[in-house]
């Protein structure tokens, strides 16, 4: 019999799929994957199709949640205008309702629930609104007055947990890098498609972004291990933690590593909005999918809103160096999670993985 039963909400997303991979390989663990679409790889999990925005569907799924001990809440609704949508009231209400609907279905059938993991990010520090205080530290956010679904979800979980045996942890990753299809904030598909278009023309990998900013990133598998750690240690009970690879980078400095992983030479700075340009690539991408027998979907289904996210992350259109976007990981290190990863190696890992799995040519 499994020692624990982990429910992963948002199983097709970047973080959710990494959680399936982590817990599926942990042993002694029953995993239930919740999502509207079937994940490309379940890693041994049982899939339950559910739209978390629909309370009736959540209620019907409750039988599959019976006996859950851990919840990884990685589900996310984003509006069609990604960055603008981060302050949109409908986006906030929808994300709040999704978590409430799931907890209403899960708590009554999970008397042995031990842990709820919530995902936030650097928007908790207002990176999309104004420069961060460097380094940004947990619990010192100046952004609670800024509309954000993080706060509605966090306040709900704090109140719900009062007097209960289970506890929560909030993980605040920086830019997350991994492999998913159709996500809103996954950089491997949009940059991979952009690189493919250049390589097919025999060109070098030009850098399409704007002026530099010192930033951080986190490998999604490292993040999944942090989620697993938080569910098992007393030091993470009802605490929030920043999570990063442990180093810093600028896009210009990691660009040669990305080019290497894609068998290309790094080019020069050639600013280009990927979100504005990608419609020109829809038909050529379909041709390349057939030519290289790719398993990836058509361009819009493959990349989702992530062309917009790539423009935002690489500061397209910005001509002046940006303020550093750096968070402190002292708290999580002191609590006992000390894993680190070289960010250049992370980009190499995921671009090579996308090619070996035939998502990219």
């Amino acid at each position: 019999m499994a020692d624990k039963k982990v429910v992963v909400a948002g199983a097709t997303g970047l973080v959710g799929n990494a959680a399936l991979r982590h817990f599926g390989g942990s042993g002694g663990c029953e995993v239930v994957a919740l999502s509207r679409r079937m994940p490309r790889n379940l890693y041994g999990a049982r899939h339950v199709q559910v739209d978390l925005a629909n309370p009736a569907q959540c209620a019907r799924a409750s039988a599959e949640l019976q006996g859950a001990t851990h919840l990884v809440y990685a589900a996310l609704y984003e509006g069609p205008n990604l960055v603008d949508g981060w302050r949109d009231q409908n986006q906030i209400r929808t994300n709040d309702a999704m978590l409430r609907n799931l907890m209403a279905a899960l708590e009554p059938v999970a008397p042995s629930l031990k842990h709820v993991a919530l995902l936030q990010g650097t928007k908790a520090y207002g990176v999309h609104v104004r420069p961060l205080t460097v380094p940004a530290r947990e619990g010192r956010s100046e952004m609670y007055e800024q509309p954000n679904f993080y706060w509605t979800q966090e306040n709900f979980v704090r109140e719900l947990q009062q007097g209960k045996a289970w506890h929560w942890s909030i993980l605040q990753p920086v830019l997350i890098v991994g492999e998913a299809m159709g996500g809103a904030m996954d950089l491997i598909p949009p940059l991979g498609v952009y690189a493919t278009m250049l390589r097919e023309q025999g060109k070098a990998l030009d850098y399409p972004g704007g002026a530099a900013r010192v930033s951080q990133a986190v490998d999604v598998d490292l993040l999944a291990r942090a989620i697993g750690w938080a569910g098992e240690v007393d030091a993470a009970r009802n605490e929030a933690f920043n999570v990063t690879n442990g180093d810093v980078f600028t896009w210009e400095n990691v660009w040669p590593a990305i080019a290497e992983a894609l068998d290309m030479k790094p080019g020069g700075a050639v600013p280009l909005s990927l979100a504005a340009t990608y419609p020109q690539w829809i038909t050529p991408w379909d041709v390349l999918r057939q030519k290289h027998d790719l398993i990836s979907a058509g361009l819009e289904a493959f990349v989702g809103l992530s062309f917009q996210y790539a423009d935002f992350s690489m500061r397209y259109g910005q001509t002046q160096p940006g303020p550093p976007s750096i968070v402190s990981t002292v708290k999580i290190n002191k609590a006992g999670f000390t894993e680190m990863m070289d960010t250049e190696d992370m980009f190499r890992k995921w671009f090579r993985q996308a090619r070996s799995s035939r998502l990219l040519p």
Side-chain angles (χ1 to χ4, degrees), residues 177-191:
V177 176
E179 182 182 277
M181 285 198 287
M185 291 181 285
D186 180 12
L187 291 172
I188 300 301
L191 295 184

Side-chain angles (χ1 to χ4, degrees), residues 15 73 76 78 86 118-128 132 136-139 141 143-144 148-151 153-154 170-176 185 216 218 223 240-244 309 312 325 327:
V15 177
Y73 191 82
L76 176 64
E78 295 284 12
W86 290 339
L118 280 185
L119 276 297
Q120 292 186 357
T122 48
K123 291 195 293 296
Y125 300 109
V127 70
H128 58 306
L132 298 190
R137 298 183 188 276
E138 304 90 333
S141 171
M143 291 304 296
Y144 279 105
N148 195 318
F149 76 87
Y150 292 161
W151 314 141
Q153 289 185 338
E154 179 179 336
I170 294 172
L171 287 302
Q172 296 175 328
V174 289
L175 183 147
I176 306 170
M185 291 181 285
Q216 293 167 299
V218 63
L223 175 58
F241 298 100
N242 295 326
V243 189
T244 80
Y309 188 58
F312 173 79
S325 179
V327 304

Side-chain angles (χ1 to χ4, degrees), residues 74-268:
L76 176 64
Y77 164 77
E78 295 284 12
N81 294 313
L82 184 67
V83 178
D84 290 343
W86 290 339
R87 287 178 278 175
D88 179 73
Q89 287 299 321
N90 180 61
Q91 192 250 27
I92 293 169
R93 284 191 298 269
T94 301
N95 280 292
D96 182 38
M98 288 164 58
L99 177 59
R100 289 175 183 270
N101 291 342
L102 178 56
M103 291 303 295
L106 184 145
E107 255 204 316
V109 299
S112 298
L113 183 65
K114 296 179 180 178
H115 185 244
V116 173
L118 280 185
L119 276 297
Q120 292 186 357
T122 48
K123 291 195 293 296
Y125 300 109
V127 70
H128 58 306
V129 178
R130 61 190 181 200
L132 298 190
T133 300
V134 175
R137 298 183 188 276
E138 304 90 333
R140 214 172 67 183
S141 171
E142 65 274 28
M143 291 304 296
Y144 279 105
E145 72 278 8
Q146 181 69 37
N148 195 318
F149 76 87
Y150 292 161
W151 314 141
T152 57
Q153 289 185 338
E154 179 179 336
N155 291 339
F156 166 67
V157 169
R158 284 177 180 272
E159 293 169 8
L160 186 66
Q161 186 270 339
Q162 291 295 314
K164 308 284 180 64
W166 58 270
H167 66 284
W168 52 262
S169 302
I170 294 172
L171 287 302
Q172 296 175 328
V174 289
L175 183 147
I176 306 170
V177 176
E179 182 182 277
M181 285 198 287
M185 291 181 285
D186 180 12
L187 291 172
I188 300 301
L191 295 184
V193 169
Y194 165 70
T196 297
M197 295 300 157
L198 292 178
R199 189 172 62 228
E200 288 294 310
Q201 300 173 62
K203 295 181 179 179
L205 184 60
D206 293 330
Y207 176 64
R213 175 173 67 184
V214 178
S215 302
Q216 293 167 299
V218 63
D219 179 275
V220 74
D221 286 337
L222 188 154
L223 175 58
R225 292 191 292 273
I227 292 170
W229 164 85
E232 303 301 328
V233 300
D234 288 341
R237 292 182 63 89
N238 301 341
E239 295 287 349
F241 298 100
N242 295 326
V243 189
T244 80
N245 279 344
D247 62 4
V248 299
F249 80 101
T250 66
W251 280 105
E252 293 85 346
N253 287 345
V254 299
W255 207 246
I258 293 173
E260 174 194 343
L262 293 166
D263 291 331
M264 299 177 72
K265 294 188 179 300

